[in-house]
Every structure is written in structure tokens, then in C-alpha cells.
Amino acid sequence: MLNAPYVIGSYVVTLGGIALYTWRMLGQARTAARQVPPEDRPWT
Amino acid sequence: MTGFMTSPRNSPGTVAVLDRAPTSTTFSRVLGIATLVGIGWLVVFGLFLSPNDRVQKTGVRIMYIHVPSAWLAYLAFGVTGVSSLAYLWKRTRSLAWDRLAGASAEVGVLFMGITLVSGSLWGRISWGTYWTWDARLTTTAFLFVTYIGYLAVRDLGGTHQQRAKRSAVLAVLAMLEVPLVHFSVTWWRPLHQNETVENGKLSGLMLFTLFVGLIAFTLLYVWLVLHRQRVLTLLDQVDDRGLDVAIAERRNESVPS
């Protein structure tokens, strides 16, 4: 594929960035949830 | 283990699931699966099934992530602005609006970052350079920096209400930049191309792939904001609990033994 490094690179950066953000956010959620009982979470 | 593990409302199995994914619900899990399917489709259509462009050849494949991420960044900043207005209006003054604004801005910055990086790689193919100071690129970079500033202002400290008020004012002002970025290609005629979709330049499988990208990124946006505003709720509650503990300790210190 012509220009493959740029095309594939853009997909890798996009999906990698989203995955990294999601992983960090869910990790932060798990850490914070240890101090908040389930009955204080309005969505449960 | 903390005390809430023994809560009568939750069986041990439920508590284990809540601890592993504390911000998840059945709806968010279904939405998450739909998002993953959408992104899978986007990769398959974007990289393999859609045809090459006559002029841009394979470079056009970057459009399927670049354009949806830009649209979603606009939407995210719009949601931030509207939520901030809702917070500032006295009858709806609730921290839920503030947390929605903060969550949406954070996800918007992520999408705007993706727009800048993918656009830069696309520019290298189309224009032979990663960056040029034309009107669209410059205003987009300015918008990106503005919302990074907004997120920094949210972290300045103070009470939750102080944070909400100062960041809401900033968000309403920052929202005015979005039309500036969008219409920059018509007002200044820069190197960046005009609207491709609105002008009907796309059709067939290329248009379909672009819509797959738009739907996948919209689902992703909703999923991320849903979780992020729940994380912000948890963090606010942790803050409040820390303050309560500090006050109780201070009171105990002042009681003569």
C-alpha cells in the first residue's frame, strides 16, 4: 500500500490513544470506588 | 476489605463485579460492545474494503478517522458549553451538569488530539509537510490548547461549586471558538480543503465508510462520557469523604482529654 506508514500509523495512534485513555480512566474508577460504597453510586 | 463490602443490598457476587467495573451498568456494557463492533467495522472498511481515491490514492483512508474525530470534538465541546450554561442557570444549578461538562471536554480534547495527529499525517501525504500555519490548522490548534486550559482550570482547587462556576464561565466563552474553526475554510480559503461531505464530493463505499466511522465514534463518545462523568462523581465523593474525615480529626484534637 502506498503511504502505508502514514495511513496505518494514523489508525494505530488513534486506536492506541483511545485504548490508553480508557485504560487510565477505568483504573482511576477502580481506585476511587474502593472508598465509595456501592449504595452511594447513583447508577447502581 | 472496606466496610461497604458487607452491605445487605449487594450479594458478594454483585460486589465483585462492581469493584472490577465500578462505573458499568447493563446499558453501558451493551453500548461498549456496540462501540467495539463499530470500531472493528471502521478498521475493516477504512483500511481494506473502501476504494482508493483518484487523486489522493490510499491517503484518503485517513479521512475515515480524521473527519469523524473532528466532528465528535465539535460535538463534545458543544455539550460542554450547553452543560455549562445549564449549570450557570440558577434553576438547574447542579454538579451533575458540571461533571458532564468536564467529562465531555476531556473526551473532546482526546478527539481533537486525534484530529490533529491524523491530520498531520494526512498533510504529510497531501501537502508534503506535517504542519503549516494555515487558518484551519491554526484555529484547530488554538481550540485544542483552549480546552487543555479549561481542564487545567478545573484542577485549580477550591470547593466543587467554585470549580463548577469558574469552569462553566470559561466553557461558555470557549464554545464561541468552535464556529471559528468550522468556518475558517470558507472565510479565509486556506490550504485545507473545504467540506467534502456537505459539497457532495463523496459517494458509494467511501461515503458509507465515513458514516461507519461517524457512528462508531459517536458510540465511543457516549460510552466514554458516560463512564468519565461517573468517575468524576466517584472522585468528588472521595474528596468529600476526605474533608469529612479531616474535620472529624480536627474536632477530636480540640476535645480536651
Side-chain angles (χ1 to χ4, degrees):
Chain A
M1 189 199 285
L2 194 67
N3 296 317
Y6 301 107
V7 174
I8 293 169
S10 67
Y11 279 73
V12 168
V13 168
T14 299
L15 299 180
I18 291 164
L20 195 68
Y21 175 76
T22 306
W23 177 75
R24 186 184 157 273
M25 179 180 71
L26 296 180
Q28 204 176 23
R30 276 192 285 270
T31 307
R34 286 192 202 115
Q35 297 173 59
V36 180
E39 53 267 27
D40 284 353
R41 303 173 201 170
W43 55 90
T44 55
Chain B
M1 287 289 157
T2 47
F4 66 79
M5 291 298 187
T6 54
S7 166
R9 275 178 60 192
N10 298 288
S11 66
T14 313
V15 168
V17 170
L18 284 171
D19 264 10
R20 222 174 30 243
T23 50
S24 286
T25 55
T26 307
F27 172 73
S28 74
R29 280 187 207 103
V30 172
L31 185 64
I33 291 165
T35 304
L36 283 176
V37 171
I39 289 175
W41 271 46
L42 171 62
V43 171
V44 170
F45 275 93
L47 285 180
F48 305 106
L49 299 183
S50 67
N52 286 342
D53 183 58
R54 264 179 297 141
V55 179
Q56 301 198 26
K57 308 281 189 264
T58 53
V60 75
R61 295 176 192 281
I62 297 178
M63 176 182 68
Y64 307 125
I65 51 170
H66 178 74
V67 174
S69 59
W71 281 353
L72 262 298
Y74 291 165
L75 174 74
F77 296 149
V79 169
T80 298
V82 171
S83 309
S84 300
L85 278 174
Y87 172 79
L88 288 174
W89 195 35
K90 281 198 167 86
R91 286 173 67 182
T92 53
R93 191 158 289 185
S94 155
L95 283 173
W97 289 115
D98 168 64
R99 289 191 282 259
L100 176 60
S104 189
E106 209 175 287
V107 176
V109 165
L110 173 72
F111 279 118
M112 196 92 271
I114 289 170
T115 305
L116 285 168
V117 173
S118 59
S120 178
L121 291 166
W122 198 5
R124 180 70 182 78
I125 296 171
S126 303
W127 309 326
T129 179
Y130 288 105
W131 186 263
T132 176
W133 293 102
D134 91 334
R136 170 57 72 86
L137 274 67
T138 306
T139 51
T140 304
F142 188 56
L143 187 67
F144 181 66
V145 172
T146 301
Y147 277 90
I148 286 178
Y150 167 83
L151 294 177
V153 164
R154 288 186 67 83
D155 280 341
L156 280 180
T159 64
H160 300 329
Q161 293 293 348
Q162 285 170 339
R163 172 199 70 195
K165 196 182 244 181
R166 68 168 177 254
S167 53
V169 172
L170 182 57
V172 171
L173 293 174
M175 190 171 56
L176 301 175
E177 275 182 51
V178 174
L180 184 76
V181 176
H182 184 71
F183 293 110
S184 61
V185 285
T186 47
W187 291 343
W188 288 292
R189 301 197 175 279
L191 190 57
H192 193 282
Q193 69 192 62
N194 285 330
E195 292 90 353
T196 309
V197 181
E198 288 164 31
N199 293 344
K201 289 176 189 165
L202 275 183
S203 60
L205 205 50
M206 291 170 99
L207 187 62
F208 176 75
T209 307
L210 185 63
F211 278 112
V212 168
L214 185 62
I215 290 167
F217 275 29
T218 305
L219 292 173
L220 177 67
Y221 165 76
V222 175
W223 188 87
L224 285 173
V225 169
L226 192 67
H227 281 270
R228 188 60 193 155
Q229 56 96 13
R230 286 173 182 172
V231 174
L232 293 177
T233 306
L234 288 174
L235 291 173
D236 278 356
Q237 291 192 5
V238 169
D239 266 359
D240 292 341
R241 277 158 205 276
L243 190 64
D244 289 345
V245 169
I247 291 169
E249 280 174 0
R250 196 67 189 265
R251 280 197 183 132
N252 287 340
E253 280 171 13
S254 62
V255 174
S257 54

